[in-house]
Amino acid sequence: MRKAEFAVPSEVMAEFANEMAERELDNKVVGTTEDDEILVEVSYEKEETEIVDELETILDELCGQVEEPEDDQN
């Protein structure tokens, strides 16, 4: 069993949780970061590596969507 850890901003946690649920990945919340991001640990098998990589891409996209409105305010 392999493990990946994701630091998820609270603003996108609901969407990220939905993506994990759709992929039926085992996961658990393991803590928070100094920046108040939620640490999520995902357990997966070797053959699920591509799914976890996809999840990482989705998280990057979700985080990018959160950052864009802040840039528009300046």
Side-chain angles (χ1 to χ4, degrees):
M1 180 79 46
R2 297 171 178 216
K3 294 183 181 185
E5 191 170 273
F6 296 91
V8 184
S10 58
E11 298 90 355
V12 300
M13 186 61 198
E15 293 93 341
F16 188 72
N18 285 335
E19 295 292 342
M20 285 189 298
E22 284 179 18
R23 289 160 179 78
E24 299 178 356
L25 292 168
D26 291 332
N27 62 83
K28 63 182 175 180
V29 174
V30 295
T32 59
T33 68
E34 291 178 2
D35 296 328
D36 292 326
E37 295 172 315
I38 301 160
L39 292 175
V40 178
E41 183 179 89
V42 176
S43 301
Y44 63 100
E45 298 295 335
K46 183 178 180 178
E47 59 271 5
E48 295 174 307
T49 300
E50 285 185 35
I51 296 170
V52 174
D53 290 345
E54 184 178 290
L55 196 59
E56 186 173 358
T57 300
I58 289 168
L59 179 58
D60 288 342
E61 291 171 359
L62 290 171
C63 290
Q65 292 171 3
V66 170
E67 292 172 5
E68 288 175 14
E70 292 175 5
D71 293 341
D72 292 342
Q73 291 176 358
N74 291 331

